[in-house]
Amino acid sequence: QVQLVESGGGLAQAGGSLRLSCAASGRTFGTYNMAWFRQAPGNEREFVATISRSDGRTYYADSVKGRFTISRDNAKNTIYLQMDSLKREDTAVYYCAANPIYHYIEARRYDSWGQGTQVTVSS
């Protein structure tokens, strides 16, 4: 298990930007595949983006592709989600997650989760 602490959520206008951060504990942060998920009230937790531990390859949900960017800074034990061109449908609680095996896109395959940070997009 790795402890994850998220920050950077807030209120943004449609078309605006936010940058989420997820700080992880432990000296072996670089051994984890990392991902961002989001969940709106009453909805299932859905995949947003993932970044692998091996080569830093990224993968995005179609709904955010071209607008969001996931990145990793192993020296700071932190991953980021740069969110540009925000839409009202991006409103959700955003969670980061860690998995030592593979950069899965299914939430059920992750054991370590952050507490979540609220992102609200208004028009």
Side-chain angles (χ1 to χ4, degrees):
Q1 293 286 98
V2 58
Q3 186 174 9
L4 307 172
V5 180
E6 303 176 2
S7 61
L11 178 65
Q13 291 184 329
S17 298
L18 286 173
R19 184 177 175 87
L20 306 183
S21 299
C22 177
S25 64
R27 295 170 57 86
T28 58
F29 173 77
T31 68
Y32 285 86
N33 306 281
M34 302 296 297
W36 288 96
F37 292 81
R38 66 187 182 185
Q39 186 170 21
N43 293 347
E44 298 294 320
R45 191 165 298 187
E46 66 176 358
F47 169 74
V48 176
T50 188
I51 184 166
S52 71
R53 63 176 174 84
S54 58
D55 56 6
R57 288 184 178 269
T58 59
Y59 188 79
Y60 298 92
D62 288 342
S63 60
V64 306
K65 193 175 301 180
R67 300 188 298 118
F68 291 9
T69 303
I70 186 172
S71 61
R72 179 178 64 196
D73 189 337
N74 289 346
K76 297 180 179 179
N77 286 353
T78 302
I79 63 166
Y80 305 93
L81 185 68
Q82 178 66 43
M83 304 184 294
D84 298 321
S85 301
L86 284 165
K87 303 176 180 179
R88 281 172 289 179
E89 52 263 44
D90 295 321
T91 296
V93 177
Y94 283 71
Y95 300 89
C96 64
N99 188 299
I101 305 301
Y102 188 72
H103 48 99
Y104 300 106
I105 65 173
E106 299 91 357
R108 62 183 175 84
R109 297 186 182 272
Y110 287 82
D111 296 323
S112 299
W113 293 88
Q115 82 286 352
T117 184
Q118 177 71 48
V119 171
T120 302
V121 182
S122 62
S123 59

